[in-house]
Amino acid sequence: MLKDTHQRIHTYLRISLTDNCNLRCFYCMPEEEYAFMPQQRLMQADEILQLAKIFVAQGVNKIRLTGGEPLVRKDVAAIIRSLGELGVELTITTNGTRVHHFIEDLVAAGVRSVNISLDTLQEDTFTILTRRNQFRVVKDNIRLLLDRGFTVKVNVVVVKGLNDREILDFIAWTQDEPVHIRFIEFMPFDGNKWQSDKLVTWKEILEIAQTRYVVQPLENAVHDTCKKYRVDGHTGTFAVISTMSAPFCSSCNRIRLTADGKIKNCLFSEEETDLLQALRTGEEVLPLIEKSILSKHKELGGQFSKDFTTIDTSHLHNRSMIAIGG
Ligand code: SAM
Ligand code: SF4
């Protein structure tokens, strides 16, 4: 069991398959030229499986594949299928541009729920936000997933002045479609030019929702990172991931493995432990995992306080989101 000094048991592993991506979301990639990791630095498919098995033997019962964009990796189909045999809940977070190529692999691996990132319902805004014109294919792939019976959660990073005017449009989408919108508070990472006044908070999002709708809170599960709501009569739901304005660290059960095989015990942790190097040199991996979990900070990687308005990003030490695995 992977328990930390704050009595949190870690059962949920997020594995980044690559830091490469076919989109260029400004809040995720550093603005300056970014060099993707060379192939040999990435965990290979068999190494991913070996490491995943060590975590599963310690009680991990849910694995999420992420990145970068997990579905741009050439051997992703084999990775999905091999992890599907571990008997844990397997999920994926993807930008949705390549889902149609891998839908049968997702089905075969027993994936039931897919998170798709889509920050806007306007084609031109999509191109501005991602610097690529892939809006239609993402929308079509959401349709495909719904038609094939997947649970579809749509991740929307809300940034003031960019897409906050679309909050009601996203909620309107839940009227007839079983989509689950998850508004995410904009978070600071290396090179993403985060400013506290660009953040739209959970409370503000809820207030905007209530200008048009009667909103009912839904029950949250113990480890949920989001606050869930349903508009009376709507088929789908919406939720807010309030990492910045109301963090949920006390019930955190997550561990992250970066594409280069480093364990990060928190999204905001500065410390990393190199599991891939250990695996390649024959060193025992489990003691390294346990040590990392035991060193997990109580809140927010120990890097900033709960008052996000006081964050000075020049003092944060972290990777950019694309290199962590969101
Ligand atoms: N490429 C995939 C995708 O976009 O879904 C998976 C990786 S992406 C890093 C995972 C999630 O992190 C996405 O939903 C993305 O919107 C979110 N994300 C990235 N940067 C963020 C930031 N600065 N604040 C909040 N969420 C962020
Ligand atoms: Fe790529 Fe996802 Fe980051 Fe956008 S959020 S740049 S799609 S990894």
Side-chain angles (χ1 to χ4, degrees), residues 45-208:
D46 61 316
E47 293 168 332
I48 292 171
L49 185 61
Q50 283 180 69
L51 289 173
K53 281 181 176 169
I54 296 172
F55 282 98
V56 172
Q58 295 307 310
V60 162
N61 55 26
K62 178 172 177 182
I63 294 179
R64 175 175 299 281
L65 302 179
T66 180
E69 173 47 42
L71 297 182
V72 300
R73 189 168 158 147
K74 286 199 175 66
D75 54 357
V76 68
I79 294 171
I80 291 172
R81 284 177 183 253
S82 71
L83 294 176
E85 285 173 16
L86 292 180
V88 300
E89 181 185 347
L90 184 63
T91 59
I92 186 164
T93 301
T94 166
N95 63 29
T97 56
R98 294 176 58 79
V99 163
H100 52 298
H101 297 300
F102 299 103
I103 190 98
E104 300 308 337
D105 302 296
L106 295 172
V107 172
V111 174
R112 302 303 316 135
S113 176
V114 175
N115 287 21
I116 302 270
S117 301
L118 179 65
D119 301 317
T120 174
L121 297 170
Q122 313 283 338
E123 192 159 3
D124 49 350
T125 310
F126 183 96
T127 309
I128 294 167
L129 286 173
T130 67
R131 291 194 262 146
R132 298 290 184 273
N133 183 2
Q134 298 268 351
F135 177 75
R136 282 280 133 219
V137 72
V138 176
K139 280 300 288 288
D140 289 350
N141 278 335
I142 291 175
R143 180 79 271 144
L144 174 66
L145 287 163
L146 290 172
D147 289 347
R148 293 294 297 265
F150 285 86
T151 298
V152 177
K153 298 179 184 171
V154 179
N155 288 356
V156 183
V157 179
V158 186
V159 183
K160 204 164 271 174
L162 276 178
N163 61 351
D164 51 338
R165 61 181 181 275
E166 293 189 53
I167 288 170
L168 290 171
D169 298 340
F170 273 104
I171 298 174
W173 192 13
T174 68
Q175 184 168 346
D176 300 318
E177 292 282 11
V179 284
H180 304 282
I181 307 297
R182 292 143 46 92
F183 296 113
I184 305 178
E185 290 181 350
F186 180 30
M187 297 181 262
F189 294 100
D190 261 24
N192 77 351
K193 297 256 158 74
W194 183 88
Q195 289 171 312
S196 62
D197 59 1
K198 292 261 174 262
L199 202 153
V200 185
T201 64
W202 158 46
K203 294 219 165 106
E204 289 168 334
I205 291 170
L206 202 54
E207 277 165 22
I208 292 170

Side-chain angles (χ1 to χ4, degrees), residues 16-30 33-37 39 42 66-74 93-98 117 119 126 129-132 134 138 259 320-326:
S16 172
L17 297 187
T18 177
D19 67 337
N20 207 329
C21 189
N22 54 349
L23 300 185
R24 295 286 181 274
C25 307
F26 78 92
Y27 50 72
C28 179
M29 290 194 81
E33 205 48 47
Y34 178 80
F36 296 118
M37 292 173 194
Q39 268 298 318
L42 299 183
T66 180
E69 173 47 42
L71 297 182
V72 300
R73 189 168 158 147
K74 286 199 175 66
T93 301
T94 166
N95 63 29
T97 56
R98 294 176 58 79
S117 301
D119 301 317
F126 183 96
L129 286 173
T130 67
R131 291 194 262 146
R132 298 290 184 273
Q134 298 268 351
V138 176
S320 57
M321 181 60 129
I322 199 158
I324 299 173

